[in-house]
Every structure is written in structure tokens, then in C-alpha cells.
Amino acid sequence: RIRWFSLVRIIGLVLVLLYHFFPKALPGGFIGVDIFFVFSGYLITALALEEHRLTQTFNLKTFAERRFFRIFPTIAFAVLIVLPLTLLGNDDLRYNLSNQVFAGLGFISNLYEASTGISYATNFAPHLFVHLWSLALEVQFYLVWGLLIFWLSKRFKKALSIFIFLIAFVLFVVSSLSMFIGSLMTTTYSGLYYSPMTHVFPFFLGAMLASLAGIKTTPLLRNLSSKFSIKQLISRSVIAAVLLILGALILHFDSKFTYLFGFTIASIVTLLLILYLRLLHDKTTSQEPRVIKY
């Protein structure tokens, strides 16, 4: 367990919750989702590389099972809890409900929501399970990235991290450019927001960092660690967190700037926050306060 990483989760969680409860006060809180995307890309890739380092293999079956049993039972439980409650509401709550359930349990909610043409910013779309879009995108990333890592691990035993970095970099550039170009060609942005093509780049940004600075201390981490004091790492982590909060205050869902630069900047700042906290783990011995873990 890497100490201080809970702070990344806390920032992402708080931004998302405040955005949904107080969208006018925190109009850009949706970038909390991108914080989780970068973080997830980092953790998944770092753990895969660590498994390969220890065993010289990457077990795709075990990887898929871990992801499935970590995610699907919770979603299924949530759906079972929500469905009976729809009987207490009006017919609008039950409109196309079977399609929503199928999309949610099949991890294609993002594609389903994009197909409806409804803006995510319009009361967050009149669907009960619209918020499963981000989990759907995450699972789609797991499927593609897991297969790629498995294929690479079979062919590049000694330099796996290098090839993962290169492929993650290419995919990051393709995806981020797709969002950039796409935003120049439209004024309705929900399709870009939901798309596994245009909104997957934060995962690959995290994967790039994981290939350079994973679970175990790498030469890069040792070199960087020697250049920063604990106070410097703390101050830089605070600055990164403040920048993310400022982004949540000034970005807007229907602003072209958000899609041209906002998501990319937020993802890069998140990447720096993860790196600073990873270095802080190596330079400190104290445990995270219990309140942070909680």
C-alpha cells in the first residue's frame, strides 16, 4: 500500500460529490472523474508491471476476474436496490428502463447515453443510471489495456515497461487530439465526454507514469527523490491540489476551452500530484492519519 494515495481519491471524490449536489457552486467538479481516470490508469499499469517483474508473466484471466468481482457485484446490487424504488415515482423514471439496466450491467452506459443525444449537463440526463457512464469507460479501458499488456508481456520480457510507455504515449496523443479536434467541430460536447475514443487519454497518461515510476522504487524515483525535500513535496502536492480545485471552480461543461485544454491540464496536474505523493511515500515512514483512510 502506497501511503498518501488516499488524498488523490479524496480530492476526486469530493469534487464529484460537490458538483452533483451544488453544480452552480462548483461547475467544473466533473474533473474529479478524470482524477480517478488518471489514478486508475496508473494503478492498473503499475500493478501489472509489478506482477510481471515478480513472475515474468501477466495472468490475463486473473486480471479480468479481479476487475469483474471488484465491480460487477456492486453495480448489480445497486441496480436491484434502485429498481423497486422506481415504482414510487412517475412514468418518466421508468422510461427505457430496461435499456438503461442492460447498458449499466453490460458496461456500455457511456455509449448508450451518447446515442440518446441528451446533454450530460441537462440535469445530468433524465436517466437513473447515467452516472455508470464513467465506470463503463473504465471497464472498456481495462479490456483493451489488459489485452495489450498481455500481448506485450509475451513478446517483450526484458523491456516491457519501455514498450508500455511508448504505446501509452501514442494512445494518449491520439485520444487527446481526438478530443481537441472534435471540440473544434461541434457545439454539443456530451458525445466527446462519453466517447471511449476521446475521453480515454487520462488513463494512458497514468499508464505512462506507471511505466516510469511504479509500485517499487525505480531509478527515476530515486533520482527525483534526491532532488526534493519532504517540505518541497508537500508544498507541490498542495499546489497541485489547489490547481485542481481552481479548475473545478472555473471550468464549465459546455465550454469549448474545457475540451480543448481543460481536461488535459487537469489530467497533467493529477499526474504531478500522484508523482509527488509517490515520492512522499518513499521519503516518509509515518502512516496516513486514520481519518484520511476512512
Side-chain angles (χ1 to χ4, degrees):
R1 180 183 177 86
I2 297 177
R3 295 183 299 277
W4 313 116
F5 269 5
S6 295
L7 294 172
V8 181
R9 296 184 176 95
I10 289 172
I11 294 171
L13 178 63
V14 169
L15 292 185
V16 169
L17 289 178
L18 290 178
Y19 171 64
H20 285 295
F21 282 112
F22 310 104
K24 292 183 179 180
L26 202 72
F30 50 80
I31 64 170
V33 174
D34 293 81
I35 292 174
F36 280 113
F37 285 173
V38 177
F39 192 53
S40 183
Y42 170 83
L43 287 179
I44 290 297
T45 308
L47 290 171
L49 286 171
E50 180 63 10
E51 177 185 341
H52 186 267
R53 186 185 71 84
L54 295 174
T55 66
Q56 296 303 303
T57 60
F58 173 68
N59 192 319
L60 184 61
K61 179 175 180 291
T62 302
F63 171 82
E65 287 177 348
R66 283 200 301 261
R67 304 281 73 74
F68 178 84
F69 287 112
R70 186 179 180 87
I71 297 171
F72 185 80
T74 307
I75 288 186
F77 179 72
V79 170
L80 288 174
I81 291 295
V82 169
L83 284 179
L85 297 177
T86 62
L87 298 174
L88 302 176
N90 56 35
D91 291 341
D92 291 340
L93 282 178
R94 296 183 290 276
Y95 180 73
N96 275 342
L97 190 56
S98 59
N99 289 340
Q100 293 187 59
V101 172
F102 174 79
L105 297 180
F107 301 110
I108 56 171
S109 289
N110 59 327
L111 304 178
Y112 171 73
E113 296 298 336
S115 71
T116 66
I118 300 173
S119 173
Y120 180 74
T122 307
N123 294 322
F124 309 118
H127 294 153
L128 283 171
F129 302 111
V130 61
H131 304 307
L132 293 181
W133 77 268
S134 58
L135 199 55
L137 183 57
E138 188 154 348
V139 170
Q140 291 156 20
F141 163 76
Y142 290 158
L143 290 173
V144 173
W145 196 230
L147 287 169
L148 270 174
I149 293 177
F150 176 74
W151 181 79
L152 289 169
S153 67
K154 293 293 185 181
R155 285 156 179 78
F156 307 104
K157 296 288 186 180
K158 294 184 178 180
L160 179 60
S161 60
I162 296 176
F163 287 97
I164 283 181
F165 175 86
L166 293 174
I167 290 179
F169 174 75
V170 170
L171 294 175
F172 164 74
V173 171
V174 170
S175 177
S176 58
L177 278 179
S178 296
M179 178 173 278
F180 185 92
I181 295 171
S183 64
L184 295 174
M185 302 170 64
T186 185
T187 56
T188 55
Y189 301 106
S190 287
L192 296 175
Y193 191 65
Y194 289 130
S195 172
M197 176 65 181
T198 56
H199 205 168
V200 76
F201 66 87
F203 291 101
F204 293 118
L205 194 60
M208 289 163 56
L209 177 61
S211 66
L212 300 173
I215 299 298
K216 294 295 182 180
T217 301
T218 62
L220 174 64
L221 285 176
R222 283 193 291 269
N223 185 40
L224 289 174
S225 182
S226 65
K227 295 181 179 180
F228 293 105
S229 67
I230 292 178
K231 288 184 178 180
Q232 288 174 322
L233 290 173
I234 292 175
S235 63
R236 280 166 171 75
S237 298
V238 170
I239 291 172
V242 169
L243 288 175
L244 290 172
I245 294 170
L246 287 176
L249 289 170
I250 64 176
L251 293 176
H252 289 78
F253 186 84
D254 287 326
S255 168
K256 191 176 292 290
F257 177 85
T258 298
Y259 296 84
L260 288 173
F261 306 108
F263 286 120
T264 302
I265 293 172
S267 298
I268 292 173
V269 173
T270 300
L271 192 77
L272 292 173
L273 176 62
I274 293 171
L275 176 59
Y276 295 145
L277 294 176
R278 176 66 186 83
L279 292 171
L280 197 60
H281 167 83
D282 285 343
K283 294 184 76 71
T284 59
T285 57
S286 59
Q287 294 297 317
E288 293 175 325
R290 290 185 178 182
V291 66
I292 292 178
K293 290 182 180 181
Y294 181 78

